Amino acid sequence: MKLNRKKIAMGILAAVMATGVAGFTDAPQAEAKVDFGDVFDFEPHRGGRDARPENTLYSYAYAIENGATCIECDMQFTGDGDIVMSHNPILNHEITRDANGNWIENGKYDIRKMTVAEIQKFNVSKINPDVDYYKIHGQTRVDPEFAQIPTLEQLFQLVKASGNENVKFNIETKSYPDPLQVKEHAGNADKKAFLTRFNELVAKYGMEDRVVLQSFDWETLMMEKKMNPN
């Protein structure tokens, strides 16, 4: 019997909306609990942005359906103390439209100063066809109702609803310690609060054995090692 993947994906997404490879190291004490085993690690970047809109529930579901062993994704810490999945701290005007369907202004909306409710009024269901980014990343657009910017909690809920007990997560703390990244650095999130919320959600959904934390901000990794060595 041939499965209708789109129907399966839409069913899982509707239910949720209604309600990396571990790094090489010479230090054994830095060993993660996640075990990829003797497998080829199929790890869609940002959930698979060349196939579906990046860091959305739709892209994560599509990755799982197509056999991803791990999902690479990005976290931003919001103004109301939650975590949403976004590569950019400032809403990307090349992929983001407002509630009226208009492409947003570049540099206007800082996720770290917004609430989840405010952030989820926007949709990232497709790339603006007038920008160069579109020429590089051709992807299938999706229905706007399934292309909100999701929370980390919604990602974990999606995976739980899918019944997949094996897919891992390579999740990045998007933190900006470099003063040369002027706008990003100036609005950098409170790292301890960021990691505290992250650990709460990992524990709540029993994902400790399935998560690898990565970051270009090494301090968040050192802090995490103290907060949760696993």
Side-chain angles (χ1 to χ4, degrees), residues 49-105:
R49 66 172 171 168
D50 282 336
R52 298 293 184 271
E54 64 185 62
N55 283 315
T56 61
L57 293 181
Y58 201 99
S59 69
Y60 300 144
Y62 186 79
I64 292 169
E65 291 166 9
N66 283 276
T69 53
C70 183
I71 295 173
E72 192 277 343
C73 48
D74 309 284
M75 300 186 295
Q76 299 287 349
F77 194 60
T78 68
D80 58 347
D82 209 344
I83 294 172
V84 294
M85 313 310 293
S86 174
H87 180 271
N88 298 55
I90 314 298
L91 286 181
N92 184 353
H93 70 290
E94 297 181 321
I95 63 173
T96 310
R97 289 177 294 161
D98 62 24
N100 296 316
N102 300 312
W103 297 105
I104 66 169
E105 182 181 332

Side-chain angles (χ1 to χ4, degrees), residues 28-47:
Q29 70 271 20
E31 189 173 307
K33 290 181 69 176
V34 175
D35 180 13
F36 286 99
D38 298 322
V39 300
F40 176 83
D41 182 29
F42 169 29
E43 189 167 321
H45 183 228
R46 304 190 196 180

Side-chain angles (χ1 to χ4, degrees), residues 90-178:
I90 314 298
L91 286 181
N92 184 353
H93 70 290
E94 297 181 321
I95 63 173
T96 310
R97 289 177 294 161
D98 62 24
N100 296 316
N102 300 312
W103 297 105
I104 66 169
E105 182 181 332
N106 185 20
K108 183 175 182 179
Y109 299 100
D110 191 331
I111 287 174
R112 299 161 301 180
K113 298 177 181 178
M114 301 166 67
T115 66
V116 171
E118 291 170 337
I119 294 164
Q120 292 193 332
K121 290 179 182 178
F122 297 87
N123 86 76
V124 288
S125 62
K126 67 177 183 178
I127 302 172
N128 186 337
D130 296 327
V131 300
D132 290 339
Y133 192 81
Y134 179 82
K135 301 171 186 176
I136 301 170
H137 304 287
Q139 60 184 211
T140 299
R141 62 166 296 178
V142 302
D143 295 333
E145 65 178 304
F146 295 122
Q148 289 179 329
I149 296 172
T151 63
L152 177 60
E153 183 159 30
Q154 286 175 319
L155 169 55
F156 287 158
Q157 288 172 344
L158 170 73
V159 175
K160 287 290 188 180
S162 76
N164 188 305
E165 298 291 337
N166 299 310
V167 68
K168 310 293 195 299
F169 306 89
N170 183 8
I171 311 182
E172 181 176 347
T173 52
K174 302 301 289 188
S175 183
Y176 309 90
D178 187 353

Side-chain angles (χ1 to χ4, degrees), residues 75 77 83 152 156 171 173 193-203 211-213 224:
M75 300 186 295
F77 194 60
I83 294 172
L152 177 60
F156 287 158
I171 311 182
T173 52
F194 194 166
L195 292 172
T196 297
R197 178 57 176 162
F198 169 72
N199 282 295
E200 287 174 355
L201 292 170
V202 169
V211 168
V212 170
L213 188 71
E224 175 65 8

